[in-house]
Amino acid sequence: AQSAVRISFAQEIRPTFFAMRFFGGGDKPQPKAPPAMSLSDAIVKNKDAIETLDKRIQLLEKRISEQETAAKAKLAAKDQKGAMMCLKRKKLYNQEVEQLRNAQITLEQQSTQMESSSSQAVAVNAMAGGVAAMKAEQAKMNVDKVDQLMDDVQEQKQVQDEIAQIFNQGAAMEDEDDLMAELKAMENEVADQQFIDAGMPQIPSGVPGLAAGQATPAAAAPAAAAPTAQVSAAEQKELDELAALMS
């Protein structure tokens, strides 16, 4: 008898169970969570919410002022109950304004944190890109090859320095001879200029038997002024020609 009752009960329950499963009468699936909002969208949404709260606060402050004005008018009309109702409304409005301002501050703090997080993400991404680029470039190089390359560069530099030193030695010797010749010509020119300033005739540097600056016999003995002037002009012309050849 008990087994017959169990079979009968199972037969009654089974259609009901399948009907609930088929027509959706069983366990309902849990709603899926909304997709995560991007950081930039969240910042924009927060700013929109702050602006909405600010508009609501301005409206409530206007109503507070109106209730205060109405309360004063009712008091002037000896309507204390009406004035009390106005003050109660004003208090409610003040409480709502305080709540909205606290919410506004919270949203502003959250926006600041999100903006800071966004800036940090930009910096981290930039650093990650830089590290990846450095690794890619370093993968193209070999430490041993770089070390060998630096040794080769140093060796070539030493060879170049030795070559330059050899050239500089030869050039120094040639330059010294040229400078000595130029110095000798300059000494003769200075000596001639000193004789000219002293009123004595110049002595050409190529005249044998006379040193630069040595007076001629004609200059040592008294002579007429005219012949002396003629000799001096001829010598000056010769000196000019010599100077032009040297230059």
Side-chain angles (χ1 to χ4, degrees):
Q2 291 180 356
S3 60
V5 172
R6 290 176 182 175
I7 293 172
S8 177
F9 180 76
Q11 291 176 351
E12 292 177 359
I13 292 298
R14 187 176 298 174
T16 306
F17 176 76
F18 283 109
M20 291 175 64
R21 292 283 300 240
F22 183 77
F23 293 105
D27 296 335
K28 294 182 179 180
Q30 296 295 331
K32 295 182 180 179
M37 188 182 302
S38 66
L39 196 59
S40 58
D41 292 340
I43 293 172
V44 173
K45 188 174 181 180
N46 269 32
K47 289 183 178 181
D48 292 341
I50 291 171
E51 292 179 359
T52 302
L53 293 179
D54 188 60
K55 292 178 181 179
R56 176 64 179 172
I57 290 172
Q58 291 178 3
L59 177 62
L60 290 173
E61 288 177 345
K62 182 179 180 181
R63 290 181 180 178
I64 290 170
S65 179
E66 291 174 353
Q67 292 301 319
E68 186 176 357
T69 302
K72 290 178 181 179
K74 289 183 181 297
L75 282 177
K78 306 299 182 179
D79 185 4
Q80 293 184 352
K81 291 183 179 180
M84 182 60 68
M85 290 298 297
C86 291
L87 292 178
K88 288 181 178 180
R89 295 190 191 96
K90 176 185 174 183
K91 185 177 181 180
L92 291 174
Y93 293 151
N94 279 325
Q95 291 176 352
E96 187 177 356
V97 167
E98 188 68 21
Q99 293 173 358
L100 293 177
R101 283 177 177 169
N102 290 334
Q104 196 174 30
I105 291 173
T106 303
L107 289 173
E108 288 177 353
Q109 290 176 347
Q110 189 180 30
S111 296
T112 302
Q113 292 173 356
M114 287 190 295
E115 290 174 353
S116 177
S117 178
S118 178
S119 300
Q120 292 173 356
V122 171
V124 170
N125 290 334
M127 288 188 292
V131 170
M134 290 174 61
K135 288 182 178 180
E137 289 298 323
Q138 290 173 357
K140 301 176 183 178
M141 296 183 291
N142 184 279
V143 177
D144 296 334
K145 291 182 178 179
V146 174
D147 190 20
Q148 182 63 39
L149 178 62
M150 294 304 297
D151 291 341
D152 293 342
V153 171
Q154 187 64 27
E155 182 179 355
Q156 292 301 318
K157 182 178 181 301
Q158 292 176 357
V159 172
Q160 188 65 29
D161 291 342
E162 292 176 0
I163 295 173
Q165 186 176 1
I166 294 173
F167 282 129
N168 290 335
Q169 289 177 355
M173 295 176 61
E174 294 177 359
D175 292 343
E176 187 175 356
D177 294 340
D178 293 340
L179 291 175
M180 289 299 297
E182 184 178 356
L183 179 62
K184 187 65 177 177
M186 188 178 295
E187 288 177 353
N188 294 334
E189 184 178 353
V190 171
D192 293 339
Q193 186 64 38
Q194 289 176 352
F195 279 107
I196 292 173
D197 295 339
M200 300 177 66
Q202 300 182 36
I203 304 301
S205 58
V207 177
L210 292 176
Q214 183 179 355
T216 60
T228 303
Q230 293 176 357
V231 173
S232 177
E235 291 174 350
Q236 183 62 41
K237 182 178 179 180
E238 184 178 357
L239 285 174
D240 293 339
E241 291 176 357
L242 289 174
L245 290 174
M246 292 178 65
S247 61

